[in-house]
Amino acid sequence: MSNGDDVKTLIIDDQEVSARRGQTILEVARENGINIPTLCHLEGLSSVGACRLCLVEIKGSNKLLPACIATVFESMEVSTDTERLRKHRRTILELLFAERNHICSVCVSNGHCELQTLAQEQGLTHIRLPYRNPNLPVDASHERFTVDHNRCILCTRCVRVCAEIEGAHVWDVMGRGINCMVITDLHEEWGSSTCTRCGKCVQVCPTGALFDKGKIGSEHPKYPDFLPYLNLMREAR
Amino acid sequence: MSALTSPPLPSDDKRWKIVNGTMRKNGYARHALIETLHTVQSSFGYLDDDAIRFVARSLRVPLSQAYGVATFYHYFSLKPPGKHTVTVCAGTACYIKGADKLIAAAEKRLGIQQGQTTSDGQVSLMTARCVGACSRAPVLLCDGEVSGEMSREQMIEQLERWTVE
Amino acid sequence: MNIEELEQIAEGVRQENAQYDYEVNVCMDLACASQGADKLREALVQAAEASGKKVLIRRTGCMGPCSHGPLIRVDHADTLYRKVNAGHAESIVNSLGGEPVPELQCDLNEHFGSQVRVVLENAGYIDPEKIEDYIARDGYKALLTVLTEMTPAGVVHRITESKLRGRGGAGYPTGLKWGTVAKASGDMKYVVCNGDEGDPGAFMDRSVMEGDPHRVIEGMAIAGYAVGAKKGFIYVRAEYPVAVSRLTTALREARRRGLLGNDICGTPFSFDIEIRLGAGAFVCGEETALIASIEGKRGTPKPRPPYPAVSGLWSKPTLINNVETFANIAPIIRNGGKWFANMGSERSKGTKVFALTGRISNTGLIEVPLGIKLRKIIEVIGGGVPGGHTFKAVQTGGPSGGCIPAEMLDIGVSYDALMAAGSIMGSGGMIVMDDTSCMVNVARFFIEFCMTESCGKCIPCRAGTAQMYTLLTRICNGTATMDDLELLENLCSTVKEASLCGLGQTAPNPVLSTLKYFRNEYIEHIVNKRCPAGVCSMETPVEVLA
Amino acid sequence: MSKLKLATVWLDGCSGCHMSFLDMDERLIELAEFVDVVYSPLVDTKEFPDEVDIALVEGAVASVDDEKKIRKIRAHSKMLVAMGDCAVTGNVPSMRNPIGPEAILDRAFIENATAQPQIPCVVVPKLLNVVRPIHEFVKVDVFLPGCPPSAETFHTALTALVNGGPLDIAALTRFGA
């Protein structure tokens, strides 16, 4: 039984909504059909608040908060789609496209890519920033999967699903800043790593960075929504 | 009863015992990773894969996490250092007083980029993020020894001495 | 150990010192040490032996005006000698009891006259490796007073009353922070001292840790009592080996004297401190990154809330203050919160240590009451810009700060005034620039710093600083267009507002402040392909043709 | 009302955008009521005309020649449209950027050559070190991403441009479409 304190009422984009105490702004927004763009967030994994696409404005504060982490409070007024937020979202997406070599036309995830879809949703028609053109490797040593670092956006979903769900923690991030890279084990080839070959990382990867060798081109949709069910089943056990 | 045992020392090199000592002192806790890597680096001069693997297994830290830590912190080096190391301080005060020109001159004289070691393994050229001797800028560390108000000529002279050794 | 015993130790030191007829304090801090302070000390010892005079020759921490080093302080008359070398030893010893050596005396009355020493009160007077020296100057009195006469809430109240604000940069009220941790529930709490002084151009914390380590330990122990923590960590940069060794010695001595450990001074309060080494990551100065680093992980920040005061180290309530903040605690306890609050300006109380460097005559460490005019620091304490050059700007706050131009030198140095000027107080670096510095190039320097120090977790900081660096490089080599400038300004806004932690949120400050005050320099580079200070070579890289 | 002068240009691209343009089929005739194609790989004009109303540019800027062309086109066009991903992002031609032009030339003309391996240097223009989208050289008025943009996209976009009506490009197409 919940007492009165456990239910909060708040306003998201002029819509009055109610929420349970401890819920994030993102959860409440999605329950009410309000779309907030996300990239690093994935239901079923811990939230890191790294991509900054889900930043929202809270009335009375100049600070922008990540909706995936910030929890609701009574009478808060949230704006999720202001001109200020749209400007930052476009710039963030541009930063991602310019950071590595995302050539959509020749990507296995063309048409099923979260980054590509977000770019379209946010009205991006070109990248104003200079492309950085880094020279990055493609590791196809694994018998089933490939990692193409050119398309990695460092959302760390693979790292989290491997550590938190599969419990293997084969993936992590090496280096820092602009030189960060996801790695398996001691920066060894994926194929000879301690990978359990479960393939969860491939399913949760939002872009074409991790893909299944057996699939080509447009036949490569991913199904990251298995996670909430998996967690539910595990809890039930 | 715990079935987990520590991996064997990578070799009979006595320095591994020092490394093991740091881990034992910390009860083989995962949070001792950085402390232990410091010990490895001060004992061996750098961190190689064997060392990281040994430390990671001993502390039961995932390999990728240990590698992530070792490459996150710039104080750790994954390559053996040269016989001598010249470190140019690249803090703000040194920069204002021409540290960038010192770095360029050293790179030209040694034929390497900052962060690299000459092919004969004689000299490593490093830069530091402020050693805290700003009042003596620009500052140079020759094998750890601080020299202030360094001129290009003085630095080259020191490099010459090392390269003809 | 109780107050009486503490007094006995102090008396012992006084008696021991009374055996000597003269005292010579030799500064052994980095700047003086790099100019032969060690040899000088040996020569003084030999000269003293040869003369038969009873001279106490003491190694001390930084005395302040490093550009005049090696420095020594002679006798009870408090005479400071500058530019001393081993060759002077004999004449110095001979002069003891007589007239000072004229050629070594320095005229720094104005330099010292405008300073007030609270944090640096012992600097240059004690041997940092001797706990007795510290005790003889009222050391650990505050801790004992707190443990025997005050409640934890009383301690928090006194700190609140002093209006001390965090000296690490952001200026969060220290009393409020302590109160929050004290109220947080949990059987285990931690006190962390942030000694990861990463700002290039700042060395205040190094000097305090090296020159007066017990002051930090005492402050932390008092904090532990006030918030209910039993365990403390000092996180020190690995680049500061001397600080690490001095702190290690100090911790050992404090434990030996029962000032750390179980049941301190016979009270039920137990507290101990461990040292943790940083490993070359500026971002670890950020609270949540520092916590990750102590936990042995990559130093990547986490979104706040939850704040460390509620959920910090190993998810326990954690108090994090910087070295200088802790160094202020003992004097506040001894002299009262009101005494401290009487110093400084309206909303910035007490004193602040600054590392004054760059194009200025008297470089070194200074401590001034907050609210002091910037002009006084530059022109009087610093002695102005040397070599016939003209002052252009002073950079405060390191990579998170900004450049303050000549026309704003009459602002008072306070958290709010510096913020209003587009900079921040920061940890205390003050780098003076003259007409030989190109402000675009300086901005590029800081952005390069932030780019390499970005942890890489959030996109605005990771990729944004890299893009800003590219655009600034274009401006510096004369290949930029006015569109690039617009892009740069747009990026500044996103990196500032959308980054996860303080590093990213403040990274654009050096660009924004130079754009605000020195926009003409940017325009000169872009439109006329000319660097007014003559720093940027304007050589178009051989890029276009293969 | 006089017809608008339309030019289409082919820089470093695969000509797929031009093919897609032609895929407008019978709608091209409809379009011809409003525009004259004054310059194009599809017509026989040799010199870029002095005054063009709308220039559709396919392809990235990859050589010194491309750079010269795009500057000239900009100078003589009222409206410049970046047509397709190569013009908008650099796309496939820019995939050589991480390794530079020498490695590519070596691979194509030396390593894989079966007879007379040599890098062509006469007549062919020099390659730029980095292939860039056209907006990094000149101001672009309209960006039409897609690889290639579909005939529908062309039709909707051109109709709007010719009539001066509203145009929401992101609703029509995207990178890699």
Side-chain angles (χ1 to χ4, degrees):
Chain A
M1 285 290 286
S2 63
N3 64 36
D5 276 359
D6 285 341
V7 180
K8 311 282 173 195
T9 53
L10 58 147
I11 296 172
I12 305 182
D13 294 343
D14 301 327
Q15 188 178 332
E16 283 199 37
V17 297
S18 62
R20 288 184 306 282
R21 185 233 279 276
Q23 274 195 300
T24 64
I25 297 170
L26 182 68
E27 282 174 305
V28 180
R30 289 195 173 164
E31 279 173 11
N32 289 279
I34 299 164
N35 177 43
I36 300 176
T38 55
L39 254 185
C40 65
H41 173 84
L42 187 65
E43 203 186 332
L45 297 179
S46 64
S47 290
V48 286
C51 75
R52 318 305 284 169
L53 282 172
C54 71
L55 288 179
V56 293
E57 286 185 51
I58 311 293
K59 193 175 176 187
S61 163
N62 195 37
K63 251 184 117 172
L64 305 176
L65 291 181
C68 67
I69 285 182
T71 50
V72 296
F73 58 82
E74 184 61 37
S75 309
M76 91 194 295
E77 288 183 40
V78 183
S79 302
T80 72
D81 197 26
T82 63
E83 186 42 51
R84 179 183 175 203
L85 294 173
R86 280 195 294 269
K87 177 181 119 33
H88 290 326
R89 282 171 190 156
R90 280 195 298 268
T91 305
I92 288 168
L93 291 169
E94 285 186 69
L95 284 168
L96 281 178
F97 275 102
E99 185 180 21
R100 295 193 175 185
N101 309 304
H102 297 274
I103 315 285
C104 295
S105 60
V106 290
C107 178
V108 287
S109 285
N110 190 6
H112 308 283
C113 168
E114 294 183 37
L115 177 65
Q116 186 186 36
T117 308
L118 277 170
Q120 191 174 18
E121 278 174 14
Q122 297 296 321
L124 223 62
T125 60
H126 68 291
I127 309 301
R128 294 165 298 169
L129 298 164
Y131 288 93
R132 296 182 50 78
N133 302 311
N135 191 3
L136 295 165
V138 177
D139 176 0
S141 60
H142 198 284
E143 60 174 330
R144 288 179 55 198
F145 316 118
T146 303
V147 52
D148 180 353
H149 292 281
N150 292 290
R151 307 190 186 280
C152 173
I153 55 167
L154 294 167
C155 67
T156 69
R157 284 187 191 177
C158 56
V159 177
R160 283 174 283 152
V161 81
C162 190
E164 296 168 12
I165 308 296
E166 177 65 4
H169 205 133
V170 174
W171 289 105
D172 210 312
V173 179
M174 73 167 271
R176 85 176 178 218
I178 197 76
N179 299 317
C180 278
M181 218 167 95
V182 290
I183 49 162
T184 46
D185 287 355
L186 293 182
H187 194 196
E188 291 156 282
E189 286 189 333
W190 191 2
S192 49
S193 73
T194 52
C195 172
T196 61
R197 310 195 303 164
C198 74
K200 292 190 186 72
C201 54
V202 175
Q203 291 305 322
V204 300
C205 175
T207 70
L210 301 183
F211 60 91
D212 197 320
K213 281 182 172 172
K215 310 267 175 60
I216 49 145
S218 54
E219 299 165 7
H220 206 289
K222 292 176 175 179
Y223 302 99
D225 35 2
F226 71 94
L227 278 174
Y229 298 106
L230 186 67
N231 284 340
L232 203 67
M233 291 304 136
R234 285 184 179 181
E235 273 165 33
R237 265 204 327 193
Chain B
M1 238 194 73
S2 170
L4 295 163
T5 50
S6 296
L9 303 184
S11 72
D12 52 12
D13 190 323
K14 285 205 177 79
R15 290 174 290 185
W16 291 118
K17 291 193 173 147
I18 304 173
V19 173
N20 213 12
T22 300
M23 295 193 284
R24 196 180 326 109
K25 200 180 81 195
N26 285 285
Y28 293 94
R30 285 181 168 201
H31 64 72
L33 178 61
I34 294 173
E35 292 293 297
T36 314
L37 293 180
H38 269 299
T39 309
V40 175
Q41 177 142 319
S42 61
S43 308
F44 292 86
Y46 71 111
L47 314 173
D48 64 9
D49 278 7
D50 286 344
I52 301 172
R53 186 176 281 114
F54 170 65
V55 173
R57 294 234 162 105
S58 304
L59 301 176
R60 293 188 285 283
V61 171
L63 293 176
S64 56
Q65 191 181 340
Y67 199 83
V69 167
T71 52
F72 181 86
Y73 294 98
H74 286 187
Y75 194 79
F76 295 133
S77 170
L78 271 57
K79 282 177 291 193
K83 191 173 163 201
H84 298 285
T85 301
V86 58
T87 308
V88 185
C89 179
T92 318
C94 292
Y95 178 76
I96 293 293
K97 292 195 171 176
D100 51 338
K101 294 186 182 72
L102 285 183
I103 297 169
E107 284 180 337
K108 197 174 162 210
R109 173 64 191 78
L110 298 170
I112 52 172
Q113 298 286 302
Q114 49 177 296
Q116 295 178 339
T117 304
T118 51
S119 53
D120 59 359
Q122 199 66 14
V123 184
S124 293
L125 172 63
M126 310 302 281
T127 56
R129 284 301 189 200
C130 193
V131 295
C134 314
S135 49
R136 303 262 298 133
V139 171
L140 203 68
L141 280 88
C142 297
D143 286 336
E145 194 82 10
V146 177
S147 316
E149 288 159 35
M150 185 52 65
S151 72
R152 207 178 70 96
E153 291 70 30
Q154 284 170 300
M155 180 191 68
I156 297 291
E157 209 175 287
Q158 176 62 53
L159 295 179
E160 299 286 347
R161 274 202 293 279
W162 282 345
T163 42
V164 296
E165 258 178 31
Chain C
M1 176 84 70
N2 53 38
I3 296 271
E4 288 74 41
E5 284 168 335
L6 214 55
E7 188 45 49
Q8 279 169 20
I9 294 171
E11 187 51 38
V13 173
R14 278 191 282 274
Q15 280 176 12
E16 197 190 315
N17 291 355
Q19 295 170 12
Y20 296 97
D21 297 323
Y22 310 101
E23 237 181 70
V24 177
N25 290 328
V26 186
C27 174
M28 304 295 288
D29 197 74
L30 198 51
C32 290
S34 72
Q35 295 180 87
D38 213 27
K39 280 201 185 112
L40 165 64
R41 197 190 65 88
E42 280 167 30
L44 283 167
V45 171
Q46 281 170 9
E49 273 174 17
S51 72
K53 286 181 178 169
K54 286 184 183 165
V55 188
L56 171 62
I57 294 161
R58 184 190 284 125
R59 315 154 182 258
T60 74
C62 181
M63 294 181 177
C66 308
S67 49
H68 298 275
L71 292 160
I72 66 170
R73 193 181 292 280
V74 178
D75 211 355
H76 310 292
D78 233 19
T79 313
L80 194 68
Y81 285 165
R82 68 188 284 270
K83 298 272 177 208
V84 191
N85 62 48
H88 295 122
E90 215 178 299
S91 53
I92 292 168
V93 172
N94 288 340
S95 76
L96 293 172
E99 288 298 306
V101 185
E103 69 267 27
L104 295 175
Q105 277 183 294
C106 45
D107 180 23
L108 288 169
N109 289 336
E110 286 203 314
H111 173 79
F112 285 108
S114 313
Q115 299 193 43
V116 176
R117 300 205 154 203
V118 175
V119 170
L120 301 179
E121 62 184 345
N122 292 340
Y125 293 98
I126 64 167
D127 182 336
E129 302 207 329
K130 290 201 173 127
I131 191 171
E132 296 81 6
D133 274 17
Y134 179 67
I135 292 173
R137 289 179 67 94
D138 287 341
Y140 288 109
K141 215 181 199 167
L143 176 63
L144 260 63
T145 309
V146 160
L147 295 185
T148 53
E149 295 169 19
M150 294 174 80
T151 62
V155 178
V156 174
H157 177 72
R158 185 164 295 184
I159 300 301
T160 308
E161 199 179 42
S162 76
K163 302 207 168 100
L164 171 66
R165 293 171 70 174
R167 296 297 193 233
Y172 192 79
T174 306
L176 188 57
K177 207 178 210 178
W178 286 31
T180 312
V181 181
K183 285 194 189 82
S185 54
D187 49 345
M188 201 61 200
K189 293 180 190 179
Y190 297 101
V191 171
V192 174
C193 173
N194 183 351
D196 189 49
E197 184 172 58
D199 285 23
F203 55 96
M204 305 75 50
D205 294 350
R206 177 182 66 72
S207 278
V208 172
M209 289 186 285
E210 290 180 6
D212 201 358
H214 287 285
R215 167 176 296 268
V216 182
I217 295 170
E218 187 177 6
M220 287 178 71
I222 293 170
Y225 177 75
V227 304
K230 292 188 190 66
K231 177 96 193 173
F233 288 93
I234 306 182
Y235 187 86
V236 194
R237 300 176 75 194
E239 291 89 337
Y240 286 173
V242 179
V244 174
S245 109
R246 295 270 163 80
L247 285 166
T248 309
T249 308
L251 288 173
R252 194 175 57 229
E253 287 297 295
R255 281 185 207 116
R256 191 171 64 84
R257 294 281 183 177
L259 294 159
L260 282 181
N262 288 331
D263 304 332
I264 295 175
C265 308
T267 68
F269 176 62
S270 300
F271 189 75
D272 210 340
I273 298 173
E274 265 183 54
I275 296 175
R276 279 283 187 267
L277 287 190
F282 174 69
V283 68
C284 289
E286 199 275 346
E287 293 187 338
T288 57
L290 190 152
I291 286 171
S293 189
I294 293 181
E295 292 174 353
K297 299 175 188 158
R298 291 165 61 84
T300 53
K302 281 186 192 148
R304 299 178 302 180
Y307 288 92
V310 177
S311 173
L313 195 55
W314 292 298
S315 304
K316 305 292 183 196
T318 304
L319 173 74
I320 304 184
N321 278 140
N322 131 295
V323 170
E324 193 182 332
T325 312
F326 281 123
N328 269 304
I329 300 303
I332 290 173
I333 298 292
R334 284 201 308 266
N335 303 316
K338 292 205 178 77
W339 161 81
F340 191 83
N342 273 333
M343 292 183 284
S345 68
E346 179 74 17
R347 298 190 55 223
S348 303
K349 299 300 186 187
T351 61
K352 176 83 191 80
V353 184
F354 288 101
L356 193 57
T357 60
R359 302 279 181 188
I360 190 141
S361 298
N362 303 328
T363 63
L365 276 194
I366 61 166
E367 183 170 359
V368 289
L370 285 169
I372 189 174
K373 292 259 187 300
L374 203 44
R375 183 181 302 285
K376 195 162 189 184
I377 294 181
I378 305 296
E379 291 174 0
V380 179
I381 299 177
V385 175
H389 290 284
T390 50
F391 173 89
K392 189 187 237 177
V394 56
Q395 210 280 348
T396 70
S400 311
C403 294
I404 299 166
E407 58 268 29
M408 295 191 73
L409 275 185
D410 287 312
I411 61 168
V413 177
S414 67
Y415 290 96
D416 311 291
L418 288 175
M419 187 85 86
S423 186
I424 59 164
M425 175 81 76
S427 59
M430 255 189 201
I431 297 131
V432 178
M433 297 165 200
D434 63 13
D435 47 21
T436 62
S437 296
C438 166
M439 302 316 279
V440 186
N441 209 283
V442 166
R444 177 171 166 267
F445 167 81
F446 281 114
I447 287 299
E448 197 242 341
F449 181 91
C450 291
M451 174 178 75
T452 25
E453 295 300 328
S454 166
C455 79
K457 180 173 176 174
C458 80
I459 302 162
C461 178
R462 179 183 78 225
T465 53
Q467 285 286 356
M468 286 167 75
Y469 178 71
T470 306
L471 294 169
L472 284 163
T473 304
R474 281 186 182 179
I475 298 176
C476 285
N477 64 27
T479 55
T481 63
M482 289 303 281
D483 287 348
D484 287 329
L485 188 63
E486 195 190 321
L487 270 181
L488 179 66
E489 292 189 280
N490 173 62
L491 270 177
C492 283
S493 140
T494 296
V495 175
K496 193 182 173 85
E497 294 199 348
S499 289
L500 195 159
C501 82
L503 191 155
Q505 288 160 8
T506 57
N509 283 353
V511 182
L512 289 169
S513 74
T514 48
L515 270 169
K516 186 169 170 192
Y517 301 120
F518 301 96
R519 197 178 182 90
N520 57 329
E521 290 196 27
Y522 283 81
I523 307 287
E524 268 301 292
H525 282 76
I526 295 169
V527 176
N528 298 328
K529 314 283 178 215
R530 196 181 75 85
C531 174
V535 174
C536 306
S537 61
M538 289 291 160
E539 280 166 21
T540 310
V542 196
E543 202 272 273
V544 189
L545 301 183
Chain D
M1 192 183 108
S2 66
K3 288 187 184 177
L4 293 172
K5 293 186 195 116
L6 178 80
T8 77
V9 186
W10 180 16
L11 302 179
D12 194 4
C14 69
S15 87
C17 294
H18 275 88
M19 296 300 129
S20 191
F21 179 85
L22 292 179
D23 279 346
M24 277 193 282
D25 299 335
E26 72 280 4
R27 284 170 292 184
L28 283 168
I29 300 164
E30 186 187 305
L31 190 68
E33 285 178 35
F34 303 101
V35 303
D36 265 338
V37 179
V38 293
Y39 179 86
S40 170
L42 311 166
V43 300
D44 203 23
T45 324
K46 297 281 183 275
E47 276 297 308
F48 196 82
D50 280 344
E51 275 183 33
V52 167
D53 293 303
I54 301 174
L56 304 178
V57 182
E58 173 188 348
V61 179
S63 68
V64 286
D65 223 34
D66 293 341
E67 187 179 346
K68 229 182 280 169
K69 277 186 199 157
I70 194 64
R71 292 194 194 282
K72 184 170 184 188
I73 293 161
R74 175 71 270 184
H76 297 284
S77 307
K78 281 188 192 144
M79 178 189 284
L80 198 156
V81 181
M83 169 170 71
D85 275 354
C86 296
V88 173
T89 73
N91 201 25
V92 174
S94 75
M95 288 175 77
R96 70 160 160 89
N97 287 351
I99 54 172
E102 288 87 1
I104 292 290
L105 291 171
D106 274 354
R107 181 86 171 150
F109 294 102
I110 309 279
E111 271 178 57
N112 287 348
T114 45
Q116 293 182 322
Q118 58 176 323
I119 290 177
C121 54
V122 188
V123 184
V124 290
K126 271 193 173 160
L127 297 181
L128 298 177
N129 264 352
V130 179
V131 177
R132 296 178 193 282
I134 55 179
H135 67 267
E136 290 204 26
F137 295 87
V138 297
K139 188 175 172 293
V140 170
D141 302 298
V142 179
F143 294 89
L144 220 52
C147 187
S150 67
E152 279 68 35
T153 299
F154 274 119
H155 183 249
T156 314
L158 285 171
T159 307
L161 292 178
V162 166
N163 299 330
L167 175 59
D168 180 3
I169 291 162
L172 293 176
T173 180
R174 56 165 164 74
F175 303 134

